Amino acid sequence: MASDLQQKALDYHRFPKAGKLTISPTKPMETQSDLALAYSPGVAHPCLAIAEDENQAASLTARGNLVGVVTNGTAVLGLGAIGPLASKPVMEGKAVLFKKFAGVDVFDIELNERDPEKLVDIIAAMEPTFGGINLEDIKAPECFIVEKLCRERMNIPVFHDDQHGTAICVAAAVYNALRVVGKDIGKVKLAACGAGAAALACLKLLVSLGLPKENIVVSDIHGVVYEGREVEMDPYKSEFAVDTNMRTLSEAVKDADIFLGCSGPGALTKDMVATMGERPIILALANPTPEILPEEVREVRPDAIIATGRSDYPNQVNNVLCFPYLFRGALDVGATEINEDMKIAAVKAIADLAQAEQSDIVTKAYGGAALSFGPEYLIPTPFDPRLYVEVAYAVAKAAMDSGVAARPVDSLELYREKLRNFIYRTRFVMKPVFDKARKQLMRVAYAEGEDERVLSAVQTVVDEGLALPILVGRRKVIEFRIEKMKLRLKLDRDFQLVDPEDDPRYREYWQAYHAIREREGVDPDTARAHIRTNTTIIGAMMVHLGHADALVCGTYGKYSKHFNRVSGIIPLRDGVRHASALHLLVSNDRALFFSDTQVREQHTAEELAELTILAADEVKRFGIEPKVALISYSNFGSADVPSARKAQAALKIINRLAPELSVEGEMKADSALVPEIRNTIFPNSRMEGAANLLIMPDLDSANISYNIAKSLGNGIAVGPILIGMSKSVHITVPSVTVRGLVNITAIAAVDAQDHQAGTMMHGLASRKKRIKGDG
């Protein structure tokens, strides 16, 4: 097994390209003009601006988002002093974590220097390059000296993650464990095994949180650290020397409330654990083998709360919970240091997040397991995306409050929103829709109200004030799942319920449904059965009867079946021949809409023109000016094929119905997305820039193109958005996430607002009347 892991790890680092990092430009470098701006002569102007005002470097260069991960390779993981070159894979890994979790750029720097003062000289000389320094894998006690001197000499954050990152995560775990067992941090006793950099930093931070120093007993390889001891003592360790007769770890552990292990495997025995105080808290953090395994603890103390550094046990204490977001907050406000206030803010943000409802991203990352605050879930998991917002925000605020922010943000609320945009990239595009949804809360019915994703989404919808939810589902099931998921939703306060098994409107619903469908083979018995069992039909009837303003359905089952049920109750909008579905894909650099991805297999030229105008109006809801491309195999008449002829005919109709619309075609996809290609082959195009709305010739083309783009581009999907119905009904797909449901809720709510106001943006009927008789 070890050999298999070794080979996999080597292959991972070797292929398809050596290492884990590359450098990518953020500006175009395609023309002579680009070169003149990026380098000589244009680059002189930002140079002079920085020479005049050093603060300009944060806005004119990458320095404000650049961290140096620096090591001399003297204490690499558990591998020891393997040297700076051998440490490079670890430093590259650290850089990847910074980028992946917090969007922070990193240069990894491995220095062949063991003298602490010379090492400080080298690091300090690099201050103009970086917005912050993350010291890594430097052995104790030299790491204390290096960090102290660097902090004194440099005016940017210098942070030794092995010390303080570990300390913040440990403190968060202890903070929450004490909440679980109901003990006061000012009264508990702690026994520590290990007196290295990480252990001492943990203890210092716990003291800052209120743990009395006299209640701490530290033990190392030579036994208890006591006043007067001379063996392997230094000023850092001496700070925790106590006046005691205890000499062994066994004595220190007896009656202790907390054990903190930053030492090696097997240091804590079952016999020792048995002597600890009531409901002991054990943090066995040696890696890869902890001081004691959780199953060994359970044998003698089933009441214990246990944390390790390993991912295969609950309560993993992992520095990635902290350091990316700590630097994110510090960099964003130009912090000159990372002080104690900022560390404590990070501790409390991490701890508080463990008590919040879980996100679907976390659940998916951990195999669908539902996590809730308690003995086996003390701190968030590394894949919880909300860490980015909560920790970075708390750290930035603490930096501002404590006076070390050189570039404080003008509005903390706007800063929080900016952080949220990084997590859910859709939020930037969705913001106009969210803002409008909040202005007039609409009643949105959820056909699959028992679905846990729906319940999580409804919690967010309520928290963000996007709509008034109505859940369709069995009362007992919904109440059980809300409790299981630890949501804060309350029936009749946060949402209304329609229970198919017990609703006073049952007769009204089945009779109304029968009246609509009786000439389509639906007899009274079938109508009764459908209103008892089919929640999509129930939801559509609610909208039809005015008991809800909008419907969201489709979290399971085929899209076509949901559409057939909905369209049998809710008619098309006036002037619309066929409904269509629009998908939005948000990538790192653009928002791209695809139509029709779900509904109709083939379109006539008239239908293609119609769905183009409807889709363009929908794009405007996002605050985006649509630039429409009619996609084909042909480029502006280059090939005489059916799709080209259909697109050409559709373009003529669109130009009559919507002359104000920026639309071009027929054209190939690359001509649509790359203006330089289009301008070369068709310089008189009426569309400027890249297209953002792609109208495909048929269902296959649209669905295939959208799914390829989504898979290759790592984009975030919004939709499908159902267009052309006379009321607000939207059908999702089974793969929809919680965030996807929140997004479609906002879209459905705004759609319902427009229907209710009678000011629909989709004015196809009026357009047709206006040009009646024209050709």
Side-chain angles (χ1 to χ4, degrees):
M1 192 170 185
S3 177
D4 183 54
L5 175 63
Q6 178 185 22
Q7 191 58 50
K8 284 182 179 178
L10 292 173
D11 289 346
Y12 175 86
H13 284 78
R14 188 171 284 133
F15 305 111
K17 187 176 181 179
K20 298 189 285 282
L21 293 174
T22 188
I23 294 177
S24 297
T26 60
K27 300 293 190 298
M29 188 66 68
E30 299 168 357
T31 66
Q32 185 66 35
S33 174
D34 293 338
L35 183 60
L37 293 172
Y39 203 56
S40 181
V43 73
H45 298 289
C47 291
L48 292 171
I50 295 169
E52 186 175 324
D53 178 7
E54 291 186 356
N55 288 327
Q56 293 290 322
S59 62
L60 292 171
T61 74
R63 182 177 186 260
N65 192 51
L66 185 61
V67 166
V69 171
V70 182
T71 188
N72 65 355
T74 53
V76 183
L77 301 178
L79 305 175
I82 60 175
L85 184 58
S87 77
K88 191 171 181 66
V90 179
M91 301 309 117
E92 284 191 355
K94 195 83 171 189
V96 170
L97 294 176
F98 265 109
K99 187 67 175 180
K100 169 68 176 176
F101 288 102
V104 173
D105 294 319
V106 164
F107 288 159
D108 63 292
I109 297 175
E110 296 77 27
L111 298 173
N112 191 17
E113 180 56 71
R114 291 200 172 198
D115 182 285
E117 293 189 0
K118 290 182 180 179
L119 190 61
V120 169
D121 287 340
I122 298 169
I123 296 169
M126 293 189 292
E127 181 173 351
T129 301
F130 297 107
I133 296 290
N134 183 92
L135 300 174
E136 193 77 19
D137 291 351
I138 301 171
K139 75 181 183 74
E142 288 89 337
C143 62
F144 301 118
I145 299 169
V146 172
E147 185 188 43
K148 179 177 182 295
L149 293 178
C150 282
R151 289 187 62 173
E152 289 173 356
R153 290 175 56 177
M154 303 175 78
N155 202 39
I156 58 174
V158 177
F159 184 79
H160 186 211
D161 185 47
D162 296 331
Q163 290 184 64
H164 309 299
T166 302
I168 288 167
C169 296
V170 164
V174 170
Y175 189 80
N176 271 353
L178 291 173
R179 284 173 168 175
V180 171
V181 300
K183 294 183 180 180
D184 183 349
I185 194 170
K187 298 177 181 178
V188 295
K189 296 180 180 179
L190 183 148
C193 180
L200 296 179
C202 291
L203 297 176
K204 286 182 179 180
L205 191 53
L206 288 170
V207 169
S208 294
L209 285 167
L211 179 63
K213 188 181 288 188
E214 59 270 21
N215 289 8
I216 298 171
V217 178
V218 179
S219 179
D220 63 9
I221 194 171
H222 299 291
V224 168
V225 176
Y226 60 89
E227 287 185 358
R229 197 183 100 171
E230 297 181 355
V231 179
E232 280 198 23
M233 293 294 287
D234 57 55
Y236 312 103
K237 196 182 297 185
S238 297
E239 186 178 341
F240 288 93
V242 290
D243 182 8
T244 180
N245 294 322
M246 290 185 286
R247 294 295 181 266
T248 65
L249 178 62
S250 296
E251 294 174 295
V253 166
K254 185 178 181 182
D255 297 325
D257 299 286
I258 304 168
F259 169 81
L260 173 61
C262 297
S263 53
L268 184 68
T269 67
K270 290 191 286 187
D271 289 342
M272 295 181 195
V273 171
T275 68
M276 292 184 70
E278 182 183 357
R279 298 198 74 185
I281 298 164
I282 297 172
L283 290 92
L285 305 180
N287 243 328
T289 306
E291 286 79 0
I292 188 169
L293 292 170
E295 53 266 31
E296 295 177 301
V297 173
R298 299 276 182 229
E299 289 178 19
V300 291
R301 293 302 296 269
D303 63 333
I305 293 178
I306 312 160
T308 71
R310 288 172 46 156
S311 61
D312 53 347
Y313 288 106
N315 297 324
Q316 181 191 15
V317 177
N318 189 327
N319 287 16
V320 79
L321 294 173
C322 163
F323 70 83
Y325 319 112
L326 186 78
F327 270 97
R328 177 74 280 152
L331 291 171
D332 286 343
V333 296
T336 56
E337 66 176 6
I338 293 174
N339 59 27
E340 205 71 7
D341 288 349
M342 295 160 72
K343 294 178 203 170
I344 291 173
V347 170
K348 293 183 177 178
I350 293 169
D352 289 345
L353 187 54
Q355 298 190 59
E357 301 91 0
Q358 279 306 307
S359 75
D360 63 318
I361 296 175
V362 174
T363 302
K364 188 182 295 184
Y366 287 85
L371 304 171
S372 59
F373 180 67
E376 296 200 341
Y377 183 64
L378 297 174
I379 51 178
T381 58
F383 287 96
D384 193 327
R386 296 168 299 178
L387 285 161
Y388 180 88
V389 175
E390 301 306 326
V391 178
Y393 175 86
V395 169
K397 184 177 185 301
M400 290 167 60
D401 291 345
S402 60
V404 297
R407 299 187 305 276
V409 297
D410 294 331
S411 166
L412 281 168
E413 190 51 44
L414 289 177
Y415 175 61
R416 183 187 283 275
E417 187 69 18
K418 176 185 173 184
L419 293 171
R420 287 177 181 147
N421 288 339
F422 178 85
I423 302 176
Y424 301 115
R425 282 172 283 171
T426 55
R427 288 186 67 93
F428 181 76
V429 176
M430 289 295 299
K431 191 175 187 304
V433 181
F434 279 20
D435 290 344
K436 187 174 181 184
R438 292 187 183 103
K439 289 180 179 178
Q440 181 186 359
L441 297 185
M442 308 306 288
R443 300 165 300 166
V444 178
Y446 298 85
E448 294 89 23
E450 297 175 5
D451 189 309
E452 291 189 358
R453 289 170 297 169
V454 170
L455 293 172
S456 291
V458 167
Q459 182 68 74
T460 301
V461 167
V462 171
D463 290 345
E464 298 199 9
L466 298 175
L468 302 172
I470 306 171
L471 298 178
V472 181
R474 294 164 291 177
R475 178 186 296 269
K476 289 183 179 179
V477 174
I478 289 174
E479 288 178 342
F480 171 77
R481 288 180 178 169
I482 288 173
E483 177 63 27
K484 184 185 89 167
M485 297 168 69
K486 306 296 183 186
L487 301 177
R488 292 168 282 107
L489 293 172
K490 296 293 183 185
L491 178 60
D492 295 328
R493 184 192 71 182
D494 299 318
F495 69 94
Q496 299 300 310
L497 178 70
V498 173
D499 186 341
E501 296 180 344
D502 181 23
D503 192 282
R505 296 169 292 187
Y506 170 68
R507 176 183 290 274
E508 179 187 1
Y509 277 33
W510 80 255
Q511 289 180 343
Y513 178 60
H514 175 253
I516 296 170
R517 302 295 304 277
E518 63 181 335
R519 290 187 180 274
E520 299 172 31
V522 176
D523 56 39
D525 286 343
T526 302
R528 292 187 189 98
H530 284 175
I531 295 300
R532 279 280 188 227
T533 59
N534 194 296
T535 56
T536 297
I537 291 175
I538 294 170
M541 287 304 301
M542 292 174 65
V543 174
H544 171 73
L545 294 170
H547 298 162
D549 303 308
L551 169 65
V552 173
C553 62
T555 59
Y556 60 83
K558 292 184 177 180
Y559 188 98
S560 58
K561 287 187 176 180
H562 288 282
F563 179 74
N564 290 337
R565 290 162 185 158
V566 167
S567 61
I569 298 167
I570 307 296
L572 294 170
R573 192 173 299 156
D574 184 26
V576 175
R577 289 180 177 87
H578 296 286
S580 59
L582 180 70
H583 252 114
L584 164 61
L585 188 62
V586 184
S587 64
N588 289 329
D589 62 347
R590 70 177 75 197
L592 197 57
F593 295 83
F594 296 78
S595 189
D596 167 24
T597 55
Q598 295 288 344
V599 180
R600 192 157 175 80
E601 292 182 14
Q602 295 290 338
H603 307 283
T604 65
E606 291 77 11
E607 291 166 356
L608 205 61
E610 178 181 287
L611 77 84
T612 297
I613 295 169
L614 295 174
D617 283 343
E618 192 68 38
V619 170
K620 292 175 184 176
R621 276 193 173 145
F622 293 85
I624 297 172
E625 189 61 33
K627 296 183 179 181
V628 189
L630 300 173
I631 303 301
S632 169
Y633 168 74
S634 170
N635 254 330
F636 303 103
S638 65
D640 185 16
V641 294
S643 67
R645 292 193 294 271
K646 183 166 59 176
Q648 291 163 6
L651 181 62
K652 292 179 181 178
I653 299 169
I654 296 166
N655 288 339
R656 291 203 315 271
L657 291 174
E660 76 287 355
L661 188 59
S662 175
V663 56
E664 266 296 5
E666 83 294 4
M667 69 177 89
K668 294 183 178 182
D670 58 351
S671 298
L673 299 175
V674 184
E676 290 79 8
I677 294 176
R678 184 173 67 252
N679 293 336
T680 299
I681 62 174
F682 193 69
N684 295 319
S685 170
R686 62 184 288 187
M687 182 171 66
E688 295 183 1
N692 53 30
L693 172 55
L694 305 182
I695 304 297
M696 300 295 178
D698 53 46
L699 178 64
D700 280 348
S701 303
N703 198 278
I704 291 168
S705 300
Y706 159 72
N707 279 295
I708 289 174
K710 181 177 69 170
S711 301
L712 295 180
N714 193 28
I716 305 297
V718 178
I721 305 165
L722 185 57
I723 299 173
M725 306 300 289
S726 62
K727 292 184 182 292
S728 178
V729 290
H730 294 276
I731 305 165
T732 66
V733 290
S735 60
V736 68
T737 62
V738 171
R739 176 51 54 174
L741 285 165
V742 173
N743 288 335
I744 205 67
T745 297
I747 291 167
V750 171
D751 197 10
Q753 288 174 1
D754 287 346
H755 280 291
Q756 189 178 90
T759 56
M760 294 302 301
M761 297 171 68
H762 308 323
L764 261 183
S766 61
R767 289 179 188 273
K768 290 177 179 178
K769 289 176 184 177
R770 189 173 65 243
I771 64 163
K772 188 175 181 181
D774 179 13

